[in-house]
Amino acid sequence: MVYIIRRRDSIRLGAGAAAALAFAGRASAQIPKAEATAPKFSIESGATLRVLRPARFVEPDEVIFRANTEKFAKETGVNVRVDFVGWEDIRQQTAVSANTGAGPDIVLGWAEDPHVYTDKLIELSDVAEYLGKKYGGWMFLGEKYGKRAKTNNWIGLPFGGSTGPIVYRMSALKEAGFDKVPSSHEDFLKLAQALKKANKPAGFALGNAVGDGNGFANWLLWSHGAYLVDEDGKVSINSKETVAALKYLKELYPNFVAGTMSWGDPSNNRAFAASEVWLTANGVSLYFALKNDPATKAIADDTNHAPLPSGVIGRQPQSALVLNAMVFKHSKFQNAAKAYLTYMMEAEQYDAWLTGCLGYWAHPLKAYNASKVWESDPKLAIYREGMNNQFWTGYKGPITQASGTVAAEYIQVQMCASVASGQATPEDAAKEAERRTRRYYRG
């Protein structure tokens, strides 16, 4: 999908998006702001921008993003083209742009992507430091993914993160004999078995899904105390903890609904809405869609959220799928690009987007804890601190080109899928994941 926002253009908003904009326009006044002097970006004469970002999962994400872009175009005279592409496609298009030195000025890619292309990007420290000072500082994952490893130099500008806690039907849990989602592996397995027996199975993505596939694999490993590399970047995936996690998966997987081996990111949304799966992990998008469709309102009323089981570590073993903006050196209009990113994250624009999306891209700046969206529905509370999760891609090591490439290659997802499908033993799968990971962590 391609949209060009020009100064003369006018965008028609759907009733829901227009209402969200109006509400957030009023609500943004409550976002606390400290005194901070905005950087003065001298926008280049005749500047135009091309922006590449993932397609929306909830309609207001796209509609309000476009509306905010239109406001920027009207106020600055900068023509902006926004391309929305599939989640699995954006990395390939980013790679082509980085390697050819042509294409979009700005990419809102995934969390690790700026760390893959560090030498191709301009620094964004002036933008990030201003926003951090004005809006109460950056949350954990904002800093983690924004700054180049072991420096204070910002190479990305995280816009928000979609987390994937447990989403479940309350009636199904009750029928299975549980009043809440358990935190231990043993009891979570019992829940999955009981749900299958009740013909209301659970299901988690084991396909190459950017959000859901990586999210499930990471939870499985982290909740068993396993990790990809240690603090110094030494490959550590082939461990007794990883083998234990994969052995647990062999017990858990037979209780899943059929087909999860090929699930992409939209798959569990569709299955849950069709009452084919009754417990999964997902961002706000699933609840948002159910709640706003009269045909599925009853399912939304029966839906709730819970933390992923903590397993052996005693804390939430989850990160977030972070939307991370970067500006390429090949851009002829770098000042315009910085001005655009700054504008989009100011309260007047950002809170409208956050609110309209029902918190789908949870905020990276602490001041947005005060957004009224988090008070609008108690079922959203679990998403509010998503960007403060203490796990990240390549945990426990630094975020680098290697960690980003391992994520993009779905090495951990495919390790899990090979065991679940019976194609490899846990021990052999861990060894193969280690071999593949070492290709990128040489030295």
Side-chain angles (χ1 to χ4, degrees):
M1 292 176 285
V2 179
Y3 301 97
I4 301 177
I5 316 284
R6 298 187 177 90
R7 189 175 185 177
R8 64 181 181 274
D9 290 343
S10 176
I11 297 176
R12 285 187 179 179
L13 299 179
L21 272 171
F23 170 78
R26 297 189 301 269
S28 64
Q30 77 173 32
I31 303 299
K33 307 176 188 70
E35 289 293 328
T37 303
K40 294 188 183 300
F41 300 118
S42 181
I43 294 178
E44 299 86 353
S45 177
T48 63
L49 293 173
R50 182 182 168 202
V51 181
L52 183 71
R53 56 144 295 175
R56 50 91 170 171
F57 256 64
V58 296
E59 184 181 11
D61 176 15
E62 179 181 321
V63 174
I64 298 176
F65 192 91
R66 290 170 58 200
N68 285 337
T69 299
E70 179 195 19
K71 287 171 60 183
F72 174 81
K74 285 183 176 179
E75 292 180 22
T76 63
V78 177
N79 292 348
V80 185
R81 168 178 168 174
V82 184
D83 298 350
F84 295 84
V85 300
W87 283 31
E88 281 74 33
D89 299 326
I90 194 165
R91 277 186 164 143
Q92 289 89 332
Q93 294 195 31
T94 303
V96 169
S97 185
N99 292 331
T100 61
D105 304 89
I106 300 169
V107 174
L108 273 72
W110 301 125
E112 316 84 16
D113 294 353
H115 303 268
V116 176
Y117 305 110
T118 51
D119 59 335
K120 307 286 187 179
L121 306 176
I122 68 169
E123 191 172 322
L124 297 173
S125 296
D126 46 359
V127 177
E129 289 169 5
Y130 158 70
L131 291 169
K133 184 177 180 180
K134 184 172 181 178
Y135 294 107
W138 290 85
M139 298 172 88
F140 180 84
L141 291 177
E143 282 211 20
K144 194 72 183 176
Y145 284 117
K147 291 181 177 180
R148 188 170 185 169
K150 299 180 180 179
T151 76
N152 282 317
N153 300 327
W154 291 76
I155 54 171
L157 197 71
F159 264 56
S162 177
T163 57
I166 296 293
V167 185
Y168 66 95
R169 296 281 292 275
M170 293 181 282
S171 61
L173 223 67
K174 184 177 180 180
E175 186 175 340
F178 288 76
D179 59 1
K180 63 179 181 179
V181 176
S183 61
S184 73
H185 290 128
E186 180 183 5
D187 289 340
F188 188 66
L189 175 60
K190 290 178 181 177
L191 170 60
Q193 292 167 337
L195 287 170
K196 182 185 180 184
K197 187 176 180 180
N199 200 30
K200 294 179 177 178
F204 297 86
L206 281 163
N208 291 350
V210 173
D212 294 333
N214 280 317
F216 176 74
N218 283 333
W219 164 76
L220 181 70
L221 296 171
W222 294 337
S223 67
H224 282 85
Y227 43 88
L228 183 70
V229 297
D230 67 13
E231 292 86 344
D232 297 319
K234 180 182 177 182
V235 176
S236 306
I237 188 64
N238 185 11
S239 66
K240 68 179 188 299
E241 291 84 4
T242 296
V243 171
L246 296 173
K247 287 180 177 178
Y248 177 74
L249 177 59
K250 285 189 69 175
E251 295 185 87
L252 186 64
Y253 174 71
N255 301 289
F256 289 2
V257 68
T260 60
M261 205 69 65
S262 61
W263 272 9
D265 281 302
S267 301
N268 61 350
N269 297 59
R270 294 168 182 158
F272 195 94
S275 295
E276 295 169 358
V277 65
W278 297 69
L279 184 149
T280 188
N282 207 269
V284 177
S285 59
L286 177 50
Y287 179 61
F288 179 97
L290 296 170
K291 184 177 180 179
N292 287 281
D293 185 345
T296 55
K297 180 65 165 55
I299 297 176
D301 292 342
D302 188 35
T303 295
N304 211 339
H305 306 94
L308 288 160
S310 57
V312 303
I313 64 170
R315 60 192 177 104
Q316 177 72 344
Q318 187 176 17
S319 186
L321 179 63
V322 175
L323 198 61
N324 207 358
M326 51 192 142
V327 179
F328 280 98
K329 288 180 179 177
H330 64 241
S331 172
K332 297 178 181 178
F333 307 112
Q334 296 176 11
N335 284 341
K338 286 184 176 184
Y340 174 79
L341 293 177
T342 304
Y343 183 89
M344 295 291 276
M345 295 200 73
E346 295 279 14
E348 293 73 18
Q349 289 71 242
Y350 190 86
D351 198 41
W353 184 59
L354 178 67
T355 301
C357 293
L358 214 63
Y360 179 67
W361 296 112
H363 57 275
L365 289 159
K366 295 176 183 177
Y368 291 106
N369 278 333
S371 175
K372 286 189 175 180
V373 68
W374 303 120
E375 303 169 6
S376 65
D377 187 331
K379 292 181 180 180
L380 300 179
I382 195 168
Y383 295 98
R384 186 178 200 161
E385 294 287 330
M387 288 292 285
N388 264 338
N389 285 323
Q390 303 289 303
F391 289 83
W392 60 90
T393 301
Y395 175 83
K396 299 179 176 179
I399 300 172
T400 61
Q401 183 177 26
S403 63
T405 306
V406 168
E409 293 290 327
Y410 299 106
I411 289 175
Q412 293 172 104
V413 177
Q414 292 167 7
M415 175 184 70
C416 293
S418 70
V419 171
S421 64
Q423 295 178 351
T425 65
E427 292 81 4
D428 287 344
K431 288 178 184 177
E432 174 63 9
E434 177 185 38
R435 183 192 69 79
R436 292 180 66 192
T437 300
R438 286 190 185 280
R439 292 171 57 191
Y440 304 109
Y441 278 90
R442 294 172 182 169

